[in-house]
Amino acid sequence: MSPSMRGGRRLVALAAVAGLALTMAACGSDDDEGGTGSDEQITLKVSTFGTFGYDALYKEYEASHPNIKIVESNEGDLGKYTNALTQRIAAGSGAGDVVAIEEGAIIQFLQAPDKFVNFQDEGFNELKGNWLDWKNAQATTADGKTTIGLGTDVGGLAMCYRSDLFKEAGLPTDRDEVSALWPTWDEYIATGKKFLEGTKGDAKFVDSATNTYNSILMQDAGNTTGYTYFDRDNKLVFDTNPAVKSAWDTTNKVLDAGLSANLKSFTTEWNAAFKGGDFATIACPAWMTANIKGQAGDAGEGKWDIATVPGGSGSWGGSFLAVPTQSKHQEAAVELAKFLSSPEGQLSAFNEAGNLPSSPQDFEDPALKDFKNEYFSDAPVADIFVQGAKSLKPVYLGAKNQAVRDAIENDLRSVEQGQRTSEEGWQQAIQSAKAAAGV
């Protein structure tokens, strides 16, 4: 797809969004203080992490709502963002009017549903077909009475790879042939060993242990227990869930083979490694494509491609939009959240940032079905990511998932950096998980 065609499709999506915005404005309540139907000038604060691709949507919404100004605050580090949001929600002030919540943290905030607007009181039941059923379930309390989040995207998983480095190593470069190299993670590791033998250079096969580990864990959990560190009774099962140990052991095979570039995700060094060509593959949900493009820059165009992930489908990430009850402009914030997470809004965000929509309507939209990512060698995104998203098996993460995950990743990195053996790291991880879970 040429840049002009990409822009053309985006305009179609934005035109639809603009239409939705105007409709919503027309339906606004006249007696809402600071709401969509009020003339009072208000500022809506939107808190996000990573890249949501909302800049164009903000402009469209402000154009159709002249009394509303939107200001986004963004944090690049998910852990820092979630910790800060947790503190602000608990304090009753300081959170945005609309806040993004990552899927790993949504269960944590569901423990305090009264801190968020219940979208079921705001027309959610009439709109819930806009999102995948399991996406809605992730943001709804166990009794089914409260929904605190509207889905933005899903993290259907693939494997992004540097075709130029594969060619240098004497490996196939065609995405179908590359996918055929690694039906399993063991075959992925075997391919990595061939890559190192063929390149004779400085490039490693994979960016980091933690990205690989998290991808395998979500895959194994989806195929077996259906949960990771906590069972559905929120009991810590880190050391008894076979999916966790399997992911740990497979990741350590990657490390034992010397395949990792030993980078920490979302650091300056990790970002620079995209441009430097320091690694050849990375576990790749749809949202990662924008990150790769942003960090590798124009010089990387046509050098990256997308293959299927070893072991079949998987998931990494995906988020929601919520409205804290501490917001002074709840009605206006709810309308903005609905707008941003609508099928049209999600399609616009996909065009801006590559985030895969969580709306089944979008899966059938030609703007997504026929989209080929020019930067990634015209990879057919729909064929690769959408099919994976449709077959995703939801995984329960537990209220303290983020804290345990951060602790385990630190212990895994200590193995990656040669500070501990795999067994020493595992034993330490058991203790770290207990400490983070408070048991």
Side-chain angles (χ1 to χ4, degrees), residues 96-154:
D97 296 293
V98 178
V99 298
I101 299 177
E102 204 264 350
E103 69 165 8
I106 190 73
I107 187 69
Q108 165 188 332
F109 292 110
L110 278 171
Q111 308 309 304
D114 59 315
K115 300 294 186 182
F116 297 90
V117 169
N118 181 3
F119 284 112
Q120 294 189 29
D121 297 331
E122 303 293 340
F124 170 78
N125 289 326
E126 288 70 40
L127 298 174
K128 61 183 180 182
N130 286 347
W131 302 275
L132 293 164
D133 289 342
W134 60 263
K135 188 75 176 177
N136 290 332
Q138 284 183 319
T140 300
T141 52
D143 63 8
K145 295 180 179 178
T146 303
T147 299
I148 68 168
L150 303 180
T152 58
D153 64 308
V154 294

Side-chain angles (χ1 to χ4, degrees), residues 251-336:
T251 304
N252 275 277
K253 290 180 183 178
V254 172
L255 298 181
D256 291 343
L259 304 185
S260 175
N262 297 349
L263 296 164
K264 182 179 180 181
S265 301
F266 305 104
T267 61
T268 301
E269 294 77 13
W270 184 72
N271 289 337
F274 285 101
K275 185 166 291 183
D278 294 345
F279 56 86
T281 68
I282 181 170
C284 191
W287 54 262
M288 183 67 78
T289 59
N291 193 73
I292 292 173
K293 182 179 179 181
Q295 299 303 331
D298 293 343
E301 184 167 356
K303 294 179 179 177
W304 284 91
D305 207 327
I306 308 173
T308 55
V309 68
S313 64
S315 177
W316 178 7
S319 300
F320 303 85
L321 296 179
V323 175
T325 50
Q326 65 182 248
S327 169
K328 296 180 180 178
H329 308 293
Q330 288 184 28
E331 183 173 340
V334 165
E335 293 307 311
L336 177 60

Side-chain angles (χ1 to χ4, degrees), residues 194-433:
K194 292 178 181 176
F195 175 84
L196 294 187
E197 292 171 0
T199 55
K200 308 296 183 185
D202 295 330
K204 293 293 187 178
F205 191 58
V206 62
D207 65 319
S208 73
T210 55
N211 285 346
T212 307
Y213 165 77
N214 287 318
S215 300
I216 299 171
L217 175 58
M218 293 296 286
Q219 204 174 57
D220 285 353
N223 290 328
T224 55
T225 58
Y227 51 79
T228 57
Y229 303 133
F230 297 87
D231 65 18
R232 295 185 184 278
D233 293 324
N234 278 324
K235 177 184 177 184
L236 181 68
V237 292
F238 173 82
D239 57 340
T240 58
N241 184 353
V244 178
K245 190 61 164 65
S246 174
W248 180 276
D249 289 343
T250 302
T251 304
N252 275 277
K253 290 180 183 178
V254 172
L255 298 181
D256 291 343
L259 304 185
S260 175
N262 297 349
L263 296 164
K264 182 179 180 181
S265 301
F266 305 104
T267 61
T268 301
E269 294 77 13
W270 184 72
N271 289 337
F274 285 101
K275 185 166 291 183
D278 294 345
F279 56 86
T281 68
I282 181 170
C284 191
W287 54 262
M288 183 67 78
T289 59
N291 193 73
I292 292 173
K293 182 179 179 181
Q295 299 303 331
D298 293 343
E301 184 167 356
K303 294 179 179 177
W304 284 91
D305 207 327
I306 308 173
T308 55
V309 68
S313 64
S315 177
W316 178 7
S319 300
F320 303 85
L321 296 179
V323 175
T325 50
Q326 65 182 248
S327 169
K328 296 180 180 178
H329 308 293
Q330 288 184 28
E331 183 173 340
V334 165
E335 293 307 311
L336 177 60
K338 288 180 181 177
F339 171 77
L340 295 173
S341 63
S342 67
E344 297 85 356
Q346 291 188 52
L347 197 57
S348 175
F350 168 76
N351 279 291
E352 284 290 324
N355 298 342
L356 186 66
S358 59
S359 167
Q361 291 100 312
D362 286 343
F363 293 165
E364 304 304 322
D365 193 308
L368 179 61
K369 287 179 65 176
D370 300 337
F371 178 76
K372 293 184 178 179
N373 194 317
E374 187 177 58
Y375 190 89
F376 287 81
S377 308
D378 288 327
V381 172
D383 285 348
I384 297 170
F385 288 117
V386 173
Q387 294 307 317
K390 287 181 176 178
S391 59
L392 279 180
K393 297 176 181 176
V395 174
Y396 181 77
L397 296 174
K400 296 183 178 179
N401 169 76
Q402 189 65 49
V404 172
R405 172 177 165 167
D406 289 346
I408 302 311
E409 287 185 351
N410 286 336
D411 291 330
L412 183 56
R413 274 195 289 273
S414 75
V415 178
E416 186 175 33
Q417 295 164 5
Q419 298 167 355
R420 292 189 175 98
T421 66
S422 174
E423 180 57 26
E424 289 171 344
W426 174 253
Q427 293 303 324
Q428 178 56 49
I430 294 174
Q431 300 308 314
S432 298

